[in-house]
Amino acid sequence: MNGNATPPSHRQRLPYRVFNLRREEVAPVLIAALFFFCVLTALMLLRPARDALGMERGIESIRWLFIGTALATLAVNPVFGWLVARLRRLQFIGATYGFFVLSLVGFWALLVFAPGAVGQRSGQVFYVWFSVFNLFVTMVFWALLADRFTSDQGKRFFALISVGGTLGAIFGPWLTSRLAVPLGTPSLLLVAGGFLLAALAMASLLVGVVPDRNATVGATASPVDATVGNERIGGSAWAGLAAVFRSRYLTAIAGYVVLMTVLATFIYFTRLQMVAAVADDMDARAAILGNIDMWTQVAVLVLQVTLTGKLIQRFGLGVALAILPVATALGFVGLAIYGSFVVLVLLEATNRAVQRGITRPAREALFTVVSREEKYKAKAFVDTFMYRAGDVVGAQAEGGLGRLGLALGGLASVVVPLALAWAALALWLGHAQARRAAAARGTPSLLSVPPAHASRMPGRSPTRDGP
């Protein structure tokens, strides 16, 4: 080799070092990011319609809609569990996304061909439907990622993949503002359906590009077996619910999600009340909420690109998961002391930015060390019913505290102890995930690194890259 060969090689490896990726991981990460981009674009296209319809009968009606949503997710869970047990992986993913696409077509037909039938009741149905849709399409996305990627890979690039979702969350509202007038609001439902179909195509491509972890464990696994992800998971339709309460690890994840959603709901209703107090008309309120959303997305993007992956690698999942409880407690203390709308904006923007930019990638990495059945069935129960149950508890508790006459100071006295318990649970989960990952360390890595390449990577050895 001549003396000029090394610098180009170093320059070629520099982008992979910056993003903590290996060459063979770039394509799967890009596909997954595009997958999440399509999902979040579809969701954010529809969110304005959901919020407008939900506020039609005031804040109290939203509390009851939360209960309806929780019951709907509980009813849908065994149906999803049955699909997971009976169908192959891409089939039940396709069935889930296909159902929501057909539902969008149905709502579009109702708006176009029977506009007179659209009223408060149908608006409430759409609110509940969208809330279920929101949880299931994102849950399926993260379940597939937890299934295809190892614990090490989840820690390294789930945050990077989340950038695709953040860009979709920014692109969706922008697309709505451009298409709502020329196409009409009903047509936005079809546009959202198109993005869901594109997301399904990305899911198929991801399964084809990333080898199956279970298939690659055996030395005799064929190339076809390692790529198609064709097997049925089997089991009971209610296995997810049973697994959550049978496993201390999964119960702890469910508890973390419930505490997170309870406190996020406190923030949500505090925001609604304070926005209503400072803005008299709908346009002014929409402008305020829009500014909060915009700056939140910017903060999320900065965290995902610069901090999250490095933070998880350096301090572990426990610390990453504990940041949100600490930030929430400090925010409510500041809100109790100052009680200003500016502090509320900072609290909500910080809470949502940390939740999406740090907590969500870290929380999804927790599922990389559970069984395949638990990744889909138990995760579905946690991410849908337990999530919405936290919403219901938070909404009713916040309403009850308000009826008791507790001001922001009283609310903070409830939030801080809950946040401390939440942070302790986060640290426990981080240690538990690390123990499970260490127990599986001898399994071959999902995206195998040739020994020669692995030996050139600083601080790594071929035997330490497994799940």
Side-chain angles (χ1 to χ4, degrees):
M1 291 178 62
N2 57 44
N4 296 326
T6 302
S9 176
H10 176 77
R11 287 196 300 268
Q12 190 177 23
R13 291 199 301 268
L14 186 60
Y16 303 108
R17 290 182 176 180
V18 170
F19 294 107
N20 204 11
L21 292 176
R22 302 167 195 156
R23 187 186 304 274
E24 66 276 10
E25 293 171 337
V26 173
V29 167
L30 288 176
I31 293 169
L34 186 57
F35 182 2
F36 204 22
F37 173 85
C38 293
V39 169
L40 264 292
T41 298
L43 291 178
M44 296 306 288
L45 272 167
L46 299 173
R47 186 174 175 178
R50 189 280 304 261
D51 290 341
L53 291 169
M55 287 291 290
E56 190 88 4
R57 297 179 64 183
I59 292 176
E60 281 303 316
S61 68
I62 295 180
R63 300 187 200 278
W64 291 105
L65 289 175
F66 276 17
I67 295 176
T69 301
L71 293 175
T73 56
L74 182 61
V76 170
N77 259 281
V79 178
F80 181 78
W82 183 87
L83 290 175
V84 170
R86 300 295 185 274
L87 302 180
R88 296 167 181 172
R89 188 182 310 151
L90 283 178
Q91 289 177 334
F92 69 72
I93 292 174
T96 303
Y97 279 60
F99 167 77
F100 287 118
V101 170
L102 291 176
S103 299
L104 287 170
V105 173
F107 281 119
W108 169 81
L110 181 66
L111 290 170
V112 171
F113 299 110
V118 178
Q120 285 188 348
R121 186 64 62 191
S122 57
Q124 291 172 335
V125 170
F126 183 81
Y127 186 97
V128 171
W129 174 89
F130 177 87
S131 299
V132 174
F133 160 73
N134 175 23
L135 292 177
F136 268 92
V137 294
T138 52
M139 179 277 299
V140 168
F141 165 78
W142 283 112
L144 182 60
L145 260 63
D147 193 14
R148 306 306 285 186
F149 295 120
T150 66
S151 173
D152 169 70
Q153 290 166 336
K155 293 174 184 176
R156 284 191 292 114
F157 50 66
F158 274 11
L160 190 58
I161 290 171
S162 295
V163 172
T166 301
L167 294 175
I170 296 171
F171 180 69
W174 178 86
L175 195 59
T176 298
S177 67
R178 291 292 183 272
L179 298 181
V181 174
L183 296 183
T185 300
S187 297
L188 294 179
L189 303 181
L190 298 183
V191 175
F195 275 100
L196 279 184
L197 293 177
L200 182 57
M202 291 301 104
S204 178
L205 187 58
L206 184 66
V207 169
V209 168
V210 183
D212 191 326
R213 268 200 286 172
N214 288 8
T216 55
V217 170
T220 59
S222 70
V224 173
D225 291 335
T227 56
V228 295
N230 233 6
E231 69 287 348
R232 294 179 177 87
I233 292 175
S236 163
W238 291 95
L241 187 153
V244 168
F245 295 105
R246 186 174 60 244
S247 164
R248 186 168 60 169
Y249 182 71
L250 292 173
T251 301
I253 296 176
Y256 183 94
V257 168
V258 169
L259 286 170
M260 179 183 70
T261 52
V262 165
L263 297 186
T265 304
F266 282 0
I267 297 174
Y268 176 72
F269 281 101
T270 302
R271 178 187 71 163
L272 291 181
Q273 292 163 6
M274 292 187 76
V275 169
V278 300
D280 295 329
D281 62 280
M282 185 178 298
D283 292 339
R285 293 172 185 173
I288 292 171
L289 297 175
N291 281 325
I292 293 175
D293 287 342
M294 181 186 69
W295 289 110
T296 298
Q297 296 300 339
V298 171
V300 171
L301 193 59
V302 170
L303 287 175
Q304 289 170 337
V305 172
T306 61
L307 182 62
T308 307
K310 296 180 178 63
L311 187 150
I312 292 173
Q313 285 282 289
R314 176 67 179 84
F315 297 104
L317 290 177
V319 172
L321 291 168
I323 290 174
L324 183 59
V326 172
T328 302
L330 292 176
F332 267 98
V333 170
L335 198 59
I337 294 173
Y338 297 102
S340 70
F341 187 72
V342 173
V343 176
L344 172 69
V345 171
L346 290 174
L347 168 61
E348 182 169 30
T350 301
N351 181 276
R352 290 165 65 181
V354 171
Q355 181 178 343
R356 297 176 188 175
I358 296 177
T359 305
R360 187 63 189 259
R363 183 161 63 87
E364 298 305 336
L366 295 174
F367 286 97
T368 59
V369 293
V370 301
S371 71
R372 174 163 290 163
E373 184 175 31
E374 290 168 341
K375 284 183 176 77
Y376 290 100
K377 295 182 182 178
K379 181 172 174 54
F381 182 74
V382 169
D383 283 3
T384 59
F385 177 71
M386 298 304 296
Y387 195 100
R388 289 310 180 198
D391 282 344
V392 171
V393 172
Q396 298 304 318
E398 192 275 339
L401 292 172
R403 286 189 288 273
L404 290 174
L406 288 183
L408 288 174
L411 190 59
S413 68
V414 174
V415 167
V416 171
L418 286 177
L420 291 176
W422 183 15
L425 188 57
L427 295 174
W428 184 89
L429 279 169
H431 288 299
Q433 197 274 350
R435 288 195 300 269
R436 284 173 169 245
R441 189 68 68 179
T443 306
S445 177
L446 170 59
L447 298 175
S448 301
V449 180
H453 177 66
S455 64
R456 291 195 300 268
M457 300 191 68
R460 295 190 180 275
S461 66
T463 59
R464 292 182 62 82
D465 291 331

